Amino acid sequence: MKTNIQHLLTKISLLLSNNDEERWAAAFEQLSKKLDLDYDTALSDIKHTFGGAGSFNDLVLHHKGQMLVRENNELNALQDQLYEAVTTEIINRRNR
């Protein structure tokens, strides 16, 4: 599962970086590295990026005032996959 989560984080980070969202891209790169250092804390940190005002869930990619439809659709799909993977992994680890 860790490999899948890291793969999703890398894809998200690249998508964000390619669309001038460097702050979020760097955050997800760091979270990917943190998975190797402190797995449970990293999972929790990833899940927390989805909550609250100004969260990762609220991110909308745009360029020169125009919303990037294709890129946002891709981002939304990756967000869903990441949330599902992290939530499932947290539950699985609690049930061990």
Side-chain angles (χ1 to χ4, degrees), residues 1 4-5 8-9 12 15 28 46-47 49-50 56-59 71-89:
M1 184 61 80
N4 180 48
I5 292 170
L8 289 167
L9 291 171
I12 290 168
L15 177 63
F28 282 99
I46 294 166
K47 190 164 183 187
T49 66
F50 288 91
F56 179 52
N57 250 12
D58 297 337
L59 181 63
E71 292 85 349
N72 280 300
N73 288 339
E74 182 180 353
L75 180 60
N76 290 337
L78 290 169
Q79 286 172 317
D80 291 346
Q81 291 172 40
L82 180 61
Y83 188 83
E84 173 80 22
V86 168
T87 301
T88 299
E89 183 67 351

Side-chain angles (χ1 to χ4, degrees), residues 6-96:
Q6 284 178 314
H7 178 72
L8 289 167
L9 291 171
T10 299
K11 287 177 77 171
I12 290 168
S13 184
L14 286 171
L15 177 63
L16 295 173
S17 183
N18 289 338
N19 290 284
D20 301 322
E21 284 294 338
E22 297 302 327
R23 182 179 72 87
W24 278 110
F28 282 99
E29 285 177 29
Q30 290 297 86
L31 287 167
S32 181
K33 292 176 186 173
K34 190 172 185 176
L35 284 170
D36 289 327
L37 303 173
D38 187 350
Y39 191 66
D40 290 320
T41 300
L43 290 173
S44 179
D45 289 350
I46 294 166
K47 190 164 183 187
H48 282 101
T49 66
F50 288 91
S55 69
F56 179 52
N57 250 12
D58 297 337
L59 181 63
V60 176
L61 301 174
H62 54 83
H63 181 70
K64 294 183 181 180
Q66 297 295 317
M67 187 172 80
L68 302 171
V69 175
R70 182 184 57 79
E71 292 85 349
N72 280 300
N73 288 339
E74 182 180 353
L75 180 60
N76 290 337
L78 290 169
Q79 286 172 317
D80 291 346
Q81 291 172 40
L82 180 61
Y83 188 83
E84 173 80 22
V86 168
T87 301
T88 299
E89 183 67 351
I90 289 170
I91 290 168
N92 289 341
R93 292 180 69 76
R94 284 184 188 153
N95 292 332
R96 286 188 185 165

